[in-house]
Amino acid sequence: MQASLPMRRALRQRGQAMTEYIVIVALIAVAAIAVYQLFGQVVRAQTAAMARELAGEDGTAQARQAQSAAGKAADQTKSRSLKAYTGNAAAAK
């Protein structure tokens, strides 16, 4: 027995909605991976510093490492802006 026309439409719309959610989740995952690659070292160093401080030890070395990693991440974001891409396109002409 085949499903009626309204029921098939409802199933098709439900499948379309699920596909849209999968695409959104995939985009969020890609963005999260990019952010983690850029700031991952900063987060790890800050977490290590907090863990050492909570344990009653000195966490200044890890805090300095986090500062250094944050500076490197900031430098990377400056060099990878859209202005860099538009500047290259203008130079190619």
Side-chain angles (χ1 to χ4, degrees):
M1 182 169 142
Q2 289 188 348
S4 66
L5 185 60
M7 188 173 200
R8 279 189 277 169
R9 284 184 185 164
L11 288 174
R12 194 175 321 138
Q13 287 177 352
R14 193 178 330 161
Q16 180 182 358
M18 182 61 72
T19 304
E20 291 170 355
Y21 285 127
I22 290 171
V23 169
I24 290 170
V25 168
L27 290 174
I28 291 171
V30 168
I33 289 169
V35 167
Y36 185 75
Q37 283 182 343
L38 191 61
F39 295 110
Q41 187 62 33
V42 176
V43 173
R44 283 191 293 273
Q46 286 178 341
T47 304
M50 287 186 284
R52 289 186 66 92
E53 292 289 333
L54 286 173
E57 300 174 6
D58 185 24
T60 55
Q62 287 76 18
R64 281 193 212 112
Q65 186 180 9
Q67 285 284 351
S68 173
K72 289 177 186 177
D75 290 341
Q76 287 179 356
T77 57
K78 288 178 186 175
S79 66
R80 294 182 183 174
S81 68
L82 288 176
K83 291 181 181 180
Y85 294 113
T86 56
N88 291 339
K93 288 183 180 181

